[in-house]
Amino acid sequence: MSKPKIKKRNSFARSDNPNSSKGTIYDPVASQRPVVETKLSQKEIDILFYDNKFCRRLLEDIARTAVKSGFRVKLSENTYDEDILKRWGELELDDYIVELLTMGQKDGISFLFPVIQGSGELTTGEELELNKISKILDFNLFYSRDLTNMSRKLDKMKTGYGYIKNCSFNNMYGEVANVMIDGSWLIEYEPFKRPDRFISNGVQYGDSYYKSIYDILLVKDNGIWSAGQMAYAMLLKYIKIGDQNKLDSVLREMTLDKFKAKKEMEINSSTLSILGKDDEIGSVNFGSGMNLKELKEYIYDEISIATGIPLSKLKGAAAGALASSTEDTKRWYEYIEGYQMDHLDEIIRKVLNLLYAEKGKLNTKFEIEFNSIRKVEAKEQAEIDKIEAEVLKMTADTLVALNNNMTDDSIKQALDTLKNTLLNKIKGEQS
């Protein structure tokens, strides 16, 4: 006797019950397929970054905060290289690194390229010989949109497996319109590498930061749009024109658009509904039980969970406001410290090797120690508090002077009350 066939489902979203609509075109929940890869075009990524301030700030905040605390270059147990950091500052590398990190997260990859003056012939298509570097003139960035081709080192038996072998870039305003650059010249930043990156026919480079949170960004955008629609609907006006025959006559003579344009001169007709005498207008209010504040909190909670960024930073809180929430502050610092080690350390290391080569100090051994972002932001907040206290004190002193010259009892009493309030606040700030 043969065993009955076991019907296997195609995916976890489907049911193995042939009578069930779960996971089929008739299932409204399954129309959002979690097993289908989100693919963002470069145009969509650009719109998110350049047209949406929240999406842009999200990436810039991470990059700027990671870089602003700075770092030290440790040569031995008690020796730190200040000269190399001076050279770092001369080349304005902080700004370049922030741009590299921001655009790498945005597009999936970005490249920092050194403009070098050499003691011998230097060809970008060949491996960079560090001993030939006589001076670093500047740095420039290549973006994903400049990339025309890229090849990786795919031999697992050799060192550097997975790293970039060479790239070809559009250079439309240069002397050469398309240039090939050996991977040894480039400091690449590819934060979200794809699993198929080492396959010859795989996608050339990693994914945008926005890809993993695209669904919740859509919810955020739709939530804001829906809130606007609800506010818009609250302003609905309607006009009744005689009976239906009269309405039909008006619309035949003028058309609906022309009639609305005419009314626009009299009233704002963007929320105007035109009805016949016996017509009725109605609606089904699905949003009556909706709490917009709770919807907003839900959206930010989901983005925070997906990214690891605390709520206060997502909402654009300043350092002082962030410091008011101990747990949020701790999470933000931990996020940045992890980002520095996972993303920034290797980039800095590659740049420093170039700067040491410029000084003729090849193969210099060093360690990178990031300065505490906690101390930097605490210092900034202390300076802000000091300025605010000084402003409050100046205001209080002015009020005291005014108070002493006032004769009207009611005005003097009001100034006394205001003075005492300010003085108490000053004492509270300084304690």
Side-chain angles (χ1 to χ4, degrees), residues 80-305:
Y80 292 88
D81 195 337
E82 298 294 336
D83 289 339
I84 206 74
L85 291 182
K86 182 180 178 182
R87 182 63 179 139
W88 179 284
E90 290 171 352
L91 290 167
E92 299 180 339
L93 275 158
D94 275 2
D95 294 337
Y96 285 112
I97 299 298
V98 168
E99 179 79 357
L100 180 75
L101 297 177
T102 301
M103 301 310 287
Q105 291 185 102
K106 168 185 170 285
D107 296 325
I109 199 166
S110 57
F111 307 86
L112 191 63
F113 172 76
V115 181
I116 295 171
Q117 193 174 75
S119 56
E121 185 178 353
L122 292 172
T123 305
T124 59
E126 299 175 0
E127 185 175 354
L128 175 61
E129 297 179 62
L130 296 177
N131 62 329
K132 289 185 177 180
I133 297 175
S134 58
K135 188 174 181 61
I136 298 175
L137 303 175
D138 198 1
F139 282 86
N140 287 318
L141 270 82
F142 284 101
Y143 305 100
S144 64
R145 62 176 176 268
D146 302 320
L147 187 64
T148 57
N149 190 40
M150 181 171 72
S151 63
R152 297 181 185 271
K153 299 175 181 179
L154 298 179
D155 190 342
K156 293 186 178 181
M157 304 297 291
K158 295 181 180 180
T159 59
Y161 167 69
Y163 281 88
I164 292 173
K165 185 177 180 182
N166 56 61
C167 293
S168 293
F169 296 103
N170 279 323
N171 187 38
M172 63 181 69
Y173 301 113
E175 294 177 4
V176 182
N178 191 279
V179 60
M180 176 177 281
I181 302 178
D182 187 83
S184 58
W185 287 73
L186 298 168
I187 295 125
E188 77 274 5
Y189 179 49
E190 187 183 14
F192 310 108
K193 297 180 175 65
R194 294 179 56 86
D196 59 356
R197 65 189 182 278
F198 299 148
I199 301 172
S200 59
N201 61 347
V203 176
Q204 280 197 313
Y205 54 85
D207 294 315
S208 167
Y209 184 95
Y210 297 135
K211 177 182 175 181
S212 62
I213 60 170
Y214 187 68
D215 286 346
I216 193 63
L217 288 175
L218 284 179
V219 173
K220 180 178 183 295
D221 184 63
N222 287 333
I224 294 171
W225 182 86
S226 298
Q229 286 293 301
M230 290 169 68
Y232 182 81
M234 289 169 66
L235 299 173
L236 178 67
K237 300 181 288 289
Y238 64 91
I239 184 171
K240 289 188 175 182
I241 306 177
D243 56 20
Q244 188 64 43
N245 291 332
K246 177 65 174 175
L247 174 60
D248 291 341
S249 173
V250 169
L251 297 183
R252 274 197 306 272
E253 292 173 8
M254 298 190 62
T255 73
L256 180 62
D257 289 339
K258 288 181 180 178
F259 183 78
K260 282 191 173 184
K262 178 176 179 292
K263 286 298 177 184
E264 188 70 38
M265 293 185 287
E266 304 169 14
I267 58 174
N268 177 3
S269 68
S270 58
T271 54
L272 177 66
S273 178
I274 301 172
L275 306 175
K277 180 181 176 183
D278 299 321
D279 291 340
E280 293 183 1
I281 184 168
S283 65
V284 179
N285 187 1
F286 288 107
S288 59
M290 181 181 293
N291 186 315
L292 291 178
K293 184 177 180 182
E294 288 181 0
L295 174 62
K296 178 183 175 184
E297 292 302 321
Y298 162 74
I299 291 168
Y300 277 108
D301 280 343
E302 289 295 318
I303 296 175
S304 179
I305 292 168

